[in-house]
Amino acid sequence: MKRIRFHKMTFHCKFCGSEMKTSSTGYLSNPFCSDCYEQRLEASGAIDLRDNHRIVDAGNGYVQIVPIDPTKKFKASKK
């Protein structure tokens, strides 16, 4: 009879390096943890749309969200 060895797979966030408790398919679909979401937005230079947007109706069922001040960048609330 063949001996089977199971290896525990650990996954780490690609941004912050913290250990994630997820399945292998879950890691393949999203290799980032939810704890560093705000830091990733800040690092990417994303525009902060909180209280800084207006909605433009295209008239065909679609809407467009346009920033009022495109220079307002996202700042993480926790470091």
Side-chain angles (χ1 to χ4, degrees), residues 11 21-28:
F11 301 104
K21 296 186 184 333
T22 184
S23 64
S24 60
T25 55
Y27 182 76
L28 288 174

Side-chain angles (χ1 to χ4, degrees), residues 32-58:
F32 301 105
C33 67
S34 60
D35 297 333
C36 64
Y37 179 70
E38 290 184 354
Q39 287 82 15
R40 288 186 283 137
L41 285 174
E42 183 177 358
S44 70
I47 297 173
D48 189 6
L49 293 175
R50 296 175 292 184
D51 298 328
N52 182 32
H53 68 280
R54 61 174 215 267
I55 299 172
V56 178
D57 188 7

Side-chain angles (χ1 to χ4, degrees), residues 8 12 23 31:
K8 180 182 177 191
H12 297 279
S23 64

Side-chain angles (χ1 to χ4, degrees), residues 62-77:
Y62 291 94
V63 294
Q64 183 179 11
I65 299 174
V66 181
I68 295 170
D69 181 15
T71 60
K72 183 180 177 187
K73 300 298 180 184
F74 192 89
K75 299 281 191 237
S77 62

